[in-house]
Amino acid sequence: MGYTNIAAVAGKGGLFNIVKPTRAGVILETIDDQKKKLVVGGNARVSVLSDISIYTVDAEGSVPVADVFKKIKDEFDDDPGVNSTSDDDELHAFLKHLVPDYDEERVYASDIKKLVSWYNILYKHEKDLLSKGSEDGEDEGNENK
């Protein structure tokens, strides 16, 4: 499994494995021990983690979230030191430490909370994926479990 098979759905908390597409949308499965299935329609905003980036002010313009997850794993492992109840200044300082040139005007505290929440979910259920950056976190084939 790679970042191309994990998705976030607008309005739904957590992360989901992409099981398979359907004619009208996509079948998803929660990344937890319950493995609940969910069908989302074509009008739902589904974002694949491999396509999500953090805005930066450098020439690149963004850094893939997979690379940020790898930095968190390498430096903090199981305790990033912030969570969804941390205040905005702590969250921004945390991201500034990881991505010094992130765009402070376009990345909000709510985005950082989501990033930390996703990291914690992946750490608990897909720990081996976090050691891979955006280049080596891609799947060779498009196999679904």
Side-chain angles (χ1 to χ4, degrees):
M1 174 180 310
Y3 288 105
T4 57
N5 286 338
I6 299 176
V9 180
K12 304 256 184 234
L15 293 173
F16 302 87
N17 284 323
I18 299 172
V19 176
K20 67 180 183 178
T22 66
R23 184 177 288 182
V26 65
I27 299 172
L28 304 173
E29 181 179 72
T30 59
I31 297 182
D32 60 14
D33 298 330
Q34 296 177 355
K35 302 291 185 196
K36 291 183 182 177
K37 290 202 176 5
L38 167 75
V39 178
V40 294
N43 60 350
R45 286 192 343 222
V46 178
S47 302
V48 179
L49 285 189
S50 63
D51 294 341
I52 299 175
S53 299
I54 302 291
Y55 291 118
T56 61
V57 292
D58 64 2
E60 295 282 323
S62 66
V63 60
V65 74
D67 293 346
V68 178
F69 287 151
K70 184 174 181 344
K71 286 181 182 180
I72 296 171
K73 172 82 167 90
D74 292 345
E75 193 159 334
F76 299 103
D77 197 36
D78 68 333
D79 184 17
V82 293
N83 56 39
S84 60
T85 60
S86 299
D87 72 15
D88 293 358
D89 292 334
E90 279 183 283
L91 293 166
H92 284 285
F94 171 73
L95 189 58
K96 186 79 162 171
H97 175 75
L98 295 168
V99 185
D101 54 352
Y102 86 97
D103 190 338
E104 296 180 35
E105 293 181 10
R106 294 170 62 186
V107 178
Y108 302 105
S110 60
D111 300 327
I112 303 169
K113 286 178 183 181
K114 205 177 300 182
L115 175 84
V116 172
S117 171
W118 290 346
Y119 176 81
N120 289 330
I121 291 168
L122 291 173
Y123 187 86
K124 185 173 182 186
H125 300 286
E126 300 289 338
K127 188 184 293 190
D128 55 331
L129 183 62
L130 293 172
S131 299
K132 302 174 183 177
S134 60
E135 298 300 316
D136 46 287
E138 302 298 320
D139 287 336
E140 294 295 320
N142 196 9
E143 297 178 16
N144 290 324
K145 292 184 178 179

